[in-house]
Amino acid sequence: SCNHRCVFCALDFMGYQPRFLDADLLMTRLTEMGLLGLRSVMFAGEGEPFLHRRMVDIILHAKQHAGIDVAVTTNGVLMRPDISERILGQTAWIKISLNAGTPETYAAIHGTRPEDFGKVCANIERAVAIRSQQGASCTLGAQILLLPDNRHEVVTLAERCREMGLDYLVVKPYSQHPQSQHHT
């Protein structure tokens, strides 16, 4: 474990081992899937897509070489302006999981520092500006997973999303499978 707040240390603490798909192999498979008629792919899931050091290359390859429309769900922390500049013209949509309308609730839900909320919002505002400068057609939106801890901030987040220039906000109800081993 390192001395600072590190995503990899946090994942290891939770029992996750960082594993990344081989980018070259994935790009080969994306090309094959494109030839077989695959029309779109979404990079998301149980992890942050931009933790993969070659995610931008993978996105660009999927669109430019395989002819596959690309979508991304991200927490927005690593979607810095340099990344937005490269991918906004190549993606159909990007959805950022914010899950709160204030820095304090964001920090509590995401297990991070309140300042990170401002960092994500700044990344979003820059992405909106870059999209406009480029004339890109990428739809930019946000999502909040509705929890007892954040239900009072849905309107605040909706207003913030509008101010940042996002196209939509998804309010995603939390549901838990009855056979789940973890209960909240």
Side-chain angles (χ1 to χ4, degrees), residues 24-108:
D24 293 325
L25 179 60
L26 179 56
M27 289 187 280
T28 297
R29 295 298 175 255
L30 285 166
T31 298
E32 292 168 353
M33 289 185 271
L35 291 171
L36 291 170
L38 183 71
R39 296 177 51 161
S40 63
V41 64
M42 178 179 70
F43 295 107
E46 195 174 308
E48 169 56 38
F50 292 111
L51 281 174
H52 196 298
R53 287 176 179 85
R54 294 194 57 203
M55 182 50 62
V56 171
D57 296 332
I58 294 165
I59 289 168
L60 297 177
H61 181 88
K63 182 64 177 174
Q64 295 171 353
H65 299 288
I68 299 171
D69 288 338
V70 178
V72 179
T73 297
T74 175
N75 64 26
V77 174
L78 299 175
M79 199 177 89
R80 300 176 314 270
D82 60 308
I83 289 175
S84 291
E85 286 175 1
R86 294 186 62 204
I87 67 169
L88 285 173
Q90 304 300 312
T91 50
W93 57 264
I94 298 172
K95 180 172 58 179
I96 296 100
S97 298
L98 281 172
N99 299 316
T102 64
E104 297 75 25
T105 302
Y106 177 87

Side-chain angles (χ1 to χ4, degrees), residues 170-183:
V170 173
V171 179
K172 185 175 177 180
Y174 175 77
S175 63
Q176 189 165 19
H177 192 278
Q179 295 176 343
S180 174
Q181 293 180 0
H182 303 283
H183 296 283

Side-chain angles (χ1 to χ4, degrees), residues 57-175:
D57 296 332
I58 294 165
I59 289 168
L60 297 177
H61 181 88
K63 182 64 177 174
Q64 295 171 353
H65 299 288
I68 299 171
D69 288 338
V70 178
V72 179
T73 297
T74 175
N75 64 26
V77 174
L78 299 175
M79 199 177 89
R80 300 176 314 270
D82 60 308
I83 289 175
S84 291
E85 286 175 1
R86 294 186 62 204
I87 67 169
L88 285 173
Q90 304 300 312
T91 50
W93 57 264
I94 298 172
K95 180 172 58 179
I96 296 100
S97 298
L98 281 172
N99 299 316
T102 64
E104 297 75 25
T105 302
Y106 177 87
I109 289 173
H110 285 265
T112 188
R113 299 176 304 253
E115 307 87 70
D116 289 344
F117 183 74
K119 183 182 201 178
V120 172
C121 290
N123 286 345
I124 291 170
E125 289 170 346
R126 284 296 301 138
V128 169
I130 291 165
R131 177 183 63 178
S132 178
Q133 291 165 356
Q134 292 180 349
S137 62
C138 179
T139 301
L140 295 170
Q143 145 179 314
I144 181 170
L145 178 62
L146 195 58
L147 301 167
D149 298 343
N150 65 8
R151 68 178 185 259
H152 63 285
E153 294 187 0
V154 173
V155 172
T156 302
L157 180 58
E159 291 168 346
R160 185 175 289 268
C161 288
R162 184 179 57 221
E163 291 166 6
M164 290 187 292
L166 290 176
D167 299 311
Y168 67 89
L169 172 65
V170 173
V171 179
K172 185 175 177 180
Y174 175 77
S175 63

